[in-house]
Amino acid sequence: MSILHLGAVAIGGFIASIVRFYISQKLNNPDRKLPFGTLLVNLSGSFLLGYSIHLGLDKYLVLLLGIGFLGAFTTFSTFNKELLTLQKYPRKWLIYFAATYLGGIGLAFLGFYIG
């Protein structure tokens, strides 16, 4: 792996983490209990990864966008933390869990199909 490979992943990850943080800050409202910002980034990231896989992008674009950006943009750790906080609301927990997993898989396939 060359410095160009690592640089592409690092740049994509740097930008994505800022975008994800911004979206989460704007859309995750503690009064609503359901973390819509995290759900949005995980679902849109799933769709975009499925879409980008089918495009046959250049190796550096895959590293920059697929691994770097989308890898940092989507967030499994935040999703799990939010599931823990939703345990006291079983219905919301189930909605969030199902929307993330089923929606993510479905959107990844949709993105791949559209691509």
Side-chain angles (χ1 to χ4, degrees), residues 25-77:
Q25 291 297 303
K26 291 293 181 187
L27 297 180
N28 284 356
N29 183 341
D31 296 333
R32 284 189 274 181
K33 303 292 185 241
L34 208 60
F36 287 106
T38 306
L39 182 61
L40 175 67
V41 299
N42 285 334
L43 293 180
S44 62
S46 295
F47 173 80
L48 291 171
L49 186 58
Y51 185 77
S52 67
I53 287 171
H54 199 267
L55 292 178
L57 299 173
D58 173 71
K59 173 173 59 172
Y60 290 104
L61 280 176
V62 169
L63 290 170
L64 176 74
L65 299 175
I67 296 172
F69 186 86
L70 293 173
F73 185 64
T74 58
T75 172
F76 192 69
S77 58

Side-chain angles (χ1 to χ4, degrees), residues 1-20 60-73:
M1 180 155 297
S2 74
I3 192 74
L4 292 175
H5 293 106
L6 296 174
V9 172
I11 291 168
F14 173 76
I15 294 168
S17 61
I18 293 169
V19 173
R20 176 176 38 102
Y60 290 104
L61 280 176
V62 169
L63 290 170
L64 176 74
L65 299 175
I67 296 172
F69 186 86
L70 293 173
F73 185 64

